[in-house]
Amino acid sequence: MKLLNKRGVLLLKKLKMNLLFSITILLLLAYVVNDALKDNSQEVEKALHSLNQPISKIIYTKQLDRSQAIVFYESSAGGIESFGNARFKKTLFGWRLVGAVSGQNPEGYKLSWSFSNLTFDFSGYTDLISGKIFDAGIKEVRIVTKNGVEYSAEIIEHNNNEKYWFLISEGEELLGATITALSQDGEIIEQMTK
């Protein structure tokens, strides 16, 4: 009789452990599925708003992968308009700010630019350059690195009348690159080396 009781107790303990393990696996699976179904852009933008910065509008959210994102935004403080980006990494507890930069929109230029080194914030990415386009005739922004590698920037249209541009590199340094703003016909509207 005592042998049956010991076996019964051992069996009951094994069943409890298996049940606990199964529940844990189900909870983890539910978390992963729920996380995968979330709109990360909205979650990243919520994290940006939680910083209580003077952000006028969010222009665009670029999801680099499941755990890295960049939000491009405009802000206005004291009558000074600026364009910037905030970089976020996803943790177990949500999106966390890892870096940000913004710059005042310059007067007299056809486009603005700012530079961010991404190597400390993101794995797999080197640099980010971005800016606002002020001349409606600009249809393309090309970047030529110091090493002679040429890229076309991604152009974002916002509210049908505002345009912005950015380029994210993977292994190529963008500091010191030549930025060229081109018309539809390929005419140079503005060119600068930064």
Side-chain angles (χ1 to χ4, degrees), residues 38-75:
K38 278 185 185 174
D39 181 357
N40 281 324
S41 294
Q42 286 183 350
E43 295 296 315
V44 172
E45 290 171 13
K46 277 186 206 174
L48 179 64
H49 285 301
S50 74
L51 300 172
N52 296 320
Q53 296 298 312
I55 295 168
S56 306
K57 59 186 164 189
I58 291 176
I59 305 302
Y60 182 71
T61 300
K62 175 70 175 176
Q63 186 85 33
L64 300 176
D65 57 32
R66 288 180 37 97
S67 65
Q68 302 177 128
I70 300 171
V71 179
F72 297 96
Y73 65 89
E74 275 194 312
S75 63

Coordinates of all heavy atoms in Angstrom, one line a residue, residues 38-75:
K38 N 0.6 42.7 -33.4 CA 0.6 44.1 -33.1 C 1.1 45.0 -34.2 O 2.0 44.5 -34.9 CB 1.4 44.4 -31.8 CG 0.7 44.2 -30.5 CD 1.7 44.6 -29.4 CE 1.1 44.3 -28.1 NZ 2.0 44.6 -27.0
D39 N 0.5 46.1 -34.4 CA 1.1 47.1 -35.4 C 2.3 47.8 -34.7 O 2.1 48.7 -33.9 CB 0.0 48.1 -35.8 CG 0.5 49.1 -36.8 OD1 1.7 49.0 -37.2 OD2 -0.3 49.9 -37.3
N40 N 3.5 47.4 -35.0 CA 4.6 47.9 -34.4 C 4.8 49.4 -34.6 O 5.3 50.1 -33.7 CB 5.9 47.2 -34.8 CG 6.1 45.9 -34.1 OD1 5.7 45.8 -32.9 ND2 6.6 44.9 -34.8
S41 N 4.4 49.9 -35.8 CA 4.5 51.4 -36.0 C 3.7 52.2 -35.0 O 4.2 53.1 -34.5 CB 3.9 51.7 -37.4 OG 4.7 51.1 -38.4
Q42 N 2.5 51.7 -34.7 CA 1.7 52.4 -33.7 C 2.3 52.3 -32.3 O 2.3 53.3 -31.5 CB 0.3 51.9 -33.6 CG -0.6 52.3 -34.8 CD -2.0 51.8 -34.7 OE1 -2.3 51.0 -33.9 NE2 -2.8 52.3 -35.6
E43 N 2.9 51.2 -32.0 CA 3.6 51.0 -30.7 C 4.8 51.9 -30.5 O 5.0 52.5 -29.5 CB 3.9 49.5 -30.5 CG 2.8 48.6 -30.4 CD 1.9 48.8 -29.2 OE1 2.4 49.1 -28.1 OE2 0.6 48.9 -29.3
V44 N 5.6 52.0 -31.6 CA 6.8 52.8 -31.6 C 6.3 54.3 -31.5 O 6.9 55.1 -30.7 CB 7.6 52.6 -32.9 CG1 8.7 53.6 -33.0 CG2 8.2 51.2 -32.9
E45 N 5.3 54.7 -32.2 CA 4.8 56.1 -32.1 C 4.3 56.4 -30.7 O 4.5 57.5 -30.2 CB 3.8 56.3 -33.2 CG 4.4 56.3 -34.6 CD 3.4 56.4 -35.7 OE1 2.2 56.6 -35.5 OE2 3.8 56.1 -36.9
K46 N 3.6 55.4 -30.1 CA 3.2 55.7 -28.7 C 4.4 55.9 -27.8 O 4.4 56.7 -26.9 CB 2.4 54.4 -28.2 CG 1.0 54.4 -28.6 CD 0.3 53.2 -27.9 CE -0.8 52.7 -28.6 NZ -1.4 51.4 -28.0
A47 N 5.4 55.1 -28.0 CA 6.7 55.3 -27.2 C 7.3 56.7 -27.4 O 7.7 57.3 -26.5 CB 7.7 54.2 -27.5
L48 N 7.2 57.2 -28.6 CA 7.7 58.5 -28.9 C 6.9 59.6 -28.2 O 7.5 60.5 -27.6 CB 7.7 58.8 -30.4 CG 8.2 60.1 -30.9 CD1 9.7 60.3 -30.5 CD2 8.0 60.3 -32.4
H49 N 5.6 59.4 -28.3 CA 4.7 60.4 -27.6 C 4.9 60.4 -26.1 O 4.7 61.4 -25.4 CB 3.3 60.2 -28.0 CG 2.9 60.7 -29.4 ND1 3.1 61.9 -29.8 CD2 2.5 60.0 -30.4 CE1 2.7 62.1 -31.1 NE2 2.3 60.9 -31.5
S50 N 5.3 59.2 -25.6 CA 5.4 59.1 -24.1 C 6.6 59.9 -23.6 O 6.8 60.2 -22.4 CB 5.6 57.7 -23.7 OG 6.8 57.2 -24.0
L51 N 7.5 60.4 -24.5 CA 8.7 61.1 -24.1 C 8.3 62.6 -23.8 O 9.2 63.3 -23.3 CB 9.7 61.1 -25.2 CG 10.3 59.7 -25.6 CD1 11.1 59.7 -26.8 CD2 11.0 59.1 -24.4
N52 N 7.1 63.0 -24.2 CA 6.6 64.4 -23.9 C 7.5 65.4 -24.5 O 7.9 66.4 -23.9 CB 6.4 64.6 -22.4 CG 5.4 63.7 -21.8 OD1 4.3 63.5 -22.5 ND2 5.6 63.2 -20.6
Q53 N 7.9 65.2 -25.8 CA 8.7 66.2 -26.5 C 7.8 67.1 -27.4 O 6.7 66.6 -27.7 CB 9.7 65.5 -27.4 CG 10.8 64.7 -26.6 CD 11.6 65.7 -25.7 OE1 12.1 66.7 -26.1 NE2 11.7 65.3 -24.4
P54 N 8.2 68.3 -27.8 CA 7.3 69.1 -28.6 C 7.3 68.7 -30.1 O 7.8 69.3 -31.0 CB 8.0 70.5 -28.5 CG 9.5 70.2 -28.3 CD 9.5 68.9 -27.5
I55 N 6.7 67.5 -30.3 CA 6.6 67.0 -31.6 C 5.3 67.5 -32.3 O 4.2 67.3 -31.8 CB 6.6 65.4 -31.6 CG1 8.0 65.0 -31.0 CG2 6.3 64.8 -32.9 CD1 8.1 63.6 -30.7
S56 N 5.5 68.1 -33.4 CA 4.3 68.6 -34.2 C 3.6 67.5 -34.9 O 2.4 67.4 -34.9 CB 4.8 69.7 -35.2 OG 5.5 70.7 -34.6
K57 N 4.4 66.7 -35.6 CA 3.8 65.6 -36.4 C 4.8 64.5 -36.6 O 6.0 64.8 -36.8 CB 3.2 66.1 -37.7 CG 4.1 66.8 -38.6 CD 3.4 67.4 -39.8 CE 4.4 68.4 -40.5 NZ 3.7 69.1 -41.5
I58 N 4.3 63.3 -36.7 CA 5.1 62.1 -37.0 C 5.0 62.0 -38.6 O 3.9 62.0 -39.1 CB 4.6 60.9 -36.3 CG1 4.9 61.0 -34.8 CG2 5.3 59.6 -36.9 CD1 4.5 59.9 -34.0
I59 N 6.1 62.0 -39.2 CA 6.1 61.9 -40.7 C 6.1 60.5 -41.2 O 5.3 60.1 -42.0 CB 7.4 62.6 -41.2 CG1 7.5 64.0 -40.7 CG2 7.5 62.5 -42.7 CD1 6.4 64.9 -41.0
Y60 N 6.9 59.6 -40.6 CA 7.0 58.2 -41.1 C 7.7 57.4 -40.1 O 8.6 57.8 -39.4 CB 7.9 58.3 -42.4 CG 8.1 57.0 -43.1 CD1 7.0 56.4 -43.8 CD2 9.3 56.4 -43.1 CE1 7.2 55.2 -44.4 CE2 9.5 55.2 -43.8 CZ 8.5 54.6 -44.5 OH 8.7 53.4 -45.1
T61 N 7.3 56.1 -40.0 CA 8.0 55.1 -39.1 C 8.6 54.1 -40.0 O 7.9 53.4 -40.8 CB 7.0 54.5 -38.1 OG1 6.5 55.5 -37.3 CG2 7.7 53.5 -37.3
K62 N 9.9 53.9 -39.9 CA 10.6 52.9 -40.7 C 11.0 51.7 -39.8 O 11.8 51.9 -38.9 CB 11.9 53.5 -41.3 CG 12.8 52.5 -42.1 CD 12.2 52.0 -43.3 CE 13.1 51.1 -44.1 NZ 12.5 50.6 -45.3
Q63 N 10.4 50.6 -40.0 CA 10.6 49.4 -39.2 C 11.8 48.7 -39.9 O 11.7 48.2 -41.0 CB 9.4 48.5 -39.3 CG 9.5 47.3 -38.4 CD 9.1 47.6 -37.0 OE1 8.3 48.4 -36.7 NE2 9.7 46.9 -36.1
L64 N 13.0 48.6 -39.2 CA 14.2 48.0 -39.8 C 14.0 46.5 -39.7 O 14.5 45.8 -40.6 CB 15.4 48.5 -39.1 CG 15.7 50.0 -39.2 CD1 16.9 50.3 -38.3 CD2 15.8 50.4 -40.6
D65 N 13.5 46.0 -38.6 CA 13.2 44.6 -38.4 C 12.3 44.5 -37.3 O 11.7 45.5 -36.8 CB 14.5 43.7 -38.2 CG 15.4 44.2 -37.1 OD1 14.8 44.7 -36.1 OD2 16.6 44.1 -37.1
R66 N 12.1 43.3 -36.7 CA 11.1 43.2 -35.6 C 11.4 43.9 -34.4 O 10.6 44.2 -33.5 CB 10.9 41.7 -35.3 CG 10.1 40.9 -36.3 CD 10.0 39.4 -36.0 NE 9.7 39.2 -34.6 CZ 8.5 39.0 -34.0 NH1 7.5 39.1 -34.8 NH2 8.4 38.8 -32.7
S67 N 12.7 44.3 -34.2 CA 13.1 44.9 -32.9 C 13.8 46.2 -33.1 O 14.3 46.7 -32.1 CB 13.9 43.9 -32.1 OG 15.2 43.7 -32.8
Q68 N 13.8 46.8 -34.3 CA 14.5 48.1 -34.5 C 13.7 48.9 -35.4 O 13.2 48.5 -36.4 CB 15.9 47.8 -35.1 CG 16.8 47.0 -34.3 CD 18.1 46.7 -34.9 OE1 19.1 46.9 -34.3 NE2 18.2 46.2 -36.2
A69 N 13.5 50.2 -35.0 CA 12.6 51.1 -35.8 C 13.1 52.5 -35.6 O 13.7 52.9 -34.6 CB 11.2 51.0 -35.3
I70 N 12.8 53.4 -36.7 CA 13.2 54.8 -36.7 C 11.9 55.6 -36.9 O 11.2 55.2 -37.9 CB 14.2 55.1 -37.7 CG1 15.5 54.3 -37.4 CG2 14.5 56.6 -37.8 CD1 16.5 54.4 -38.6
V71 N 11.6 56.6 -36.2 CA 10.5 57.5 -36.4 C 11.0 58.8 -36.8 O 11.9 59.4 -36.2 CB 9.7 57.7 -35.1 CG1 8.5 58.6 -35.4 CG2 9.2 56.3 -34.6
F72 N 10.6 59.3 -38.0 CA 10.9 60.6 -38.5 C 9.8 61.5 -38.1 O 8.6 61.2 -38.2 CB 11.1 60.6 -40.0 CG 12.2 59.7 -40.5 CD1 12.0 58.4 -40.9 CD2 13.5 60.2 -40.5 CE1 13.0 57.5 -41.3 CE2 14.5 59.3 -40.9 CZ 14.3 58.0 -41.3
Y73 N 10.2 62.7 -37.6 CA 9.1 63.6 -37.1 C 9.6 65.1 -37.3 O 10.7 65.4 -37.6 CB 8.9 63.4 -35.6 CG 10.1 63.7 -34.7 CD1 10.3 65.0 -34.2 CD2 11.1 62.7 -34.5 CE1 11.5 65.3 -33.5 CE2 12.2 63.0 -33.7 CZ 12.4 64.3 -33.2 OH 13.5 64.6 -32.5
E74 N 8.6 66.0 -37.2 CA 8.9 67.4 -37.2 C 8.5 68.0 -35.8 O 7.5 67.4 -35.2 CB 8.1 68.1 -38.3 CG 8.8 68.1 -39.6 CD 8.2 69.1 -40.6 OE1 7.0 69.2 -40.7 OE2 9.0 69.8 -41.2
S75 N 9.2 69.0 -35.4 CA 8.8 69.6 -34.1 C 8.9 71.1 -34.3 O 9.6 71.6 -35.2 CB 9.7 69.1 -33.0 OG 11.1 69.5 -33.2

